[in-house]
Amino acid sequence: MAQKIIFDTDPGIDDAMAILFALASPEIEVVGLTTVFGNVHTDLATRNALRLLEFAGRADIPVAHGAAKPLQIDFDEPAAFVHGENGLGEVYLPEPTTAPDPRPAAQFIVDMVMQHPGEITLAPVGPLTNIALALLLEPRIVERVAGVVLMGGAGAVNGNVNPAAEANIWHDPHAADRVFTAGWPITMLGLDVTMAVQMDDAYLAELRSSRTGEFIYDISRFYLEFHRQVHGVYACHTHDPSVIAYLIDPTLYTVEYGPIRVITEGIAMGMTLWDRRGEWHRPNPWTGRRSVGVCTGVDAERVLALYRERITGG
Ligand code: RIB
Ligand code: CA
């Protein structure tokens, strides 16, 4: 049976790449997209989510409009230099003809999880604000989800906003700390593994044999330019699609365990500080917290092969 997921997203080029991957994968049933600020403002994230579903012929999937700002800090600004002014690499899909679900994202998450106990995996690939708000609305979702599998954070490597912080966590560290310490089963696909899988220009060109792959190639032009300028490679990191790859086949990844706390202020704000020791001479804020599964290794070739197979259909 396909795994039911709610994909919480700020589309976003790699978000779009992940959504199209999920829709092309029979192991996954997307029961809803929920939107959040991050790569773009939330209004645009919602319109992009609707656009992408219409492009994929899946306008039957609900989109719930989410938080427009972090829990306790200000929203810095959208990442137009990474994803383009429109969030999709300056490739313009038509205005959506469909409308969002009337419920706010957090309420949508609560309703779906409570209606389908044990069945729904939350798959956030943006700031964790909607997930934290859902926890505040209905704490019992902790026992009712199948799990949380997220893109964000950095286990044993530097961040990508600064040495401490990865972008999704940095945007709302207070929400992230709530999500990491809620006590539910949680797996983190952070920069340790998402930057280890690179889609280069030749790989992306191979995707063009399908209509979906042609679109992914087109939106990747802007993204590759960003990676060239900032990372010195003409290839893009595989951030958000990694969550879908993990859900389809967890054997693609090596997972290690330990509790995570998120630094919420100061020079290291947004850092996912992971306890890999577990043995201390006195209790600390990590003690007694449920372990997070942190992906530390990945079979990059197999992830790339899986993605190509799903996008090209062959
Ligand atoms: O750091 C990578 C993450 O930040 C991805 O989710 C990307 O879409 C951006 O939101
Ligand atoms: Ca994202």
Side-chain angles (χ1 to χ4, degrees):
M1 204 171 69
Q3 297 178 69
K4 290 182 170 57
I5 71 165
I6 294 176
F7 197 72
D8 187 71
T9 177
D10 57 337
I13 294 171
D14 61 318
D15 302 72
M17 292 166 75
I19 290 166
L20 296 170
F21 186 21
L23 296 178
S25 297
E27 298 88 347
I28 291 178
E29 180 189 347
V30 181
V31 300
L33 301 182
T34 49
T35 62
V36 68
F37 65 91
N39 294 326
V40 293
H41 287 291
T42 314
D43 284 343
L44 182 52
T46 298
R47 292 204 307 282
N48 282 349
L50 293 167
R51 284 184 170 106
L52 289 161
L53 291 176
E54 290 181 17
F55 168 82
R58 292 303 311 272
D60 57 300
I61 296 173
V63 174
H65 183 75
K69 61 183 180 57
L71 294 185
Q72 295 186 34
I73 59 175
D74 292 332
F75 175 34
D76 185 28
E77 58 180 14
F81 61 103
V82 185
H83 298 270
E85 289 293 338
N86 73 340
L88 296 175
E90 312 295 357
V91 174
Y92 288 86
L93 291 171
E95 273 299 313
T97 58
T98 44
D101 191 276
R103 289 167 287 186
Q107 187 65 55
F108 178 86
I109 290 168
V110 167
D111 289 352
M112 296 303 285
V113 170
M114 298 306 277
Q115 280 164 21
H116 302 276
E119 289 184 29
I120 295 196
T121 297
L122 304 179
V125 297
L128 292 165
T129 318
N130 289 333
I131 313 299
L133 289 170
L135 275 170
L136 287 166
L137 267 180
E138 177 49 274
R140 289 179 298 167
I141 62 171
V142 168
E143 285 91 41
R144 307 286 169 98
V145 292
V148 179
V149 179
L150 66 88
M151 191 282 133
V157 299
N158 279 149
N160 58 0
V161 175
N162 58 43
E166 182 280 329
N168 287 341
I169 308 301
W170 184 76
H171 274 306
D172 194 344
H174 299 90
D177 195 49
R178 283 178 181 271
V179 171
F180 279 113
T181 57
W184 44 18
I186 177 164
T187 304
M188 173 177 121
L189 290 109
L191 300 179
D192 310 65
V193 290
T194 66
M195 291 181 71
V197 183
Q198 298 201 358
M199 296 181 176
D200 66 17
D201 198 28
Y203 174 88
L204 290 159
E206 281 179 44
L207 303 181
R208 301 177 79 184
S209 61
S210 71
R211 171 177 171 269
T212 302
E214 186 77 46
F215 175 73
I216 290 169
Y217 176 84
D218 290 347
I219 62 176
S220 72
R221 302 300 88 196
F222 195 97
Y223 209 35
L224 287 194
E225 246 347 285
F226 163 76
H227 283 76
R228 188 203 321 252
Q229 285 171 25
V230 172
H231 299 287
V233 290
Y234 200 56
C236 63
H237 299 138
T238 307
H239 295 304
D240 295 350
S242 296
V243 163
I244 305 302
Y246 177 88
L247 289 168
I248 294 171
D249 184 0
T251 72
L252 295 166
Y253 295 89
T254 306
V255 186
E256 297 177 59
Y257 295 89
I260 285 181
R261 296 301 309 261
V262 178
I263 308 304
T264 53
E265 58 190 4
I267 196 172
M269 187 185 83
M271 184 177 190
T272 44
L273 196 39
W274 179 31
D275 179 9
R276 303 177 81 179
R277 285 186 31 150
E279 293 171 8
W280 302 98
H281 66 283
R282 65 168 60 140
N284 60 48
W286 286 257
T287 310
R289 299 287 182 179
R290 183 176 181 139
S291 278
V292 172
V294 178
C295 293
T296 54
V298 56
D299 187 332
E301 289 307 313
R302 283 175 59 214
V303 171
L304 290 171
L306 176 66
Y307 190 83
R308 180 173 49 224
E309 185 226 315
R310 295 303 163 83
I311 296 303
T312 64

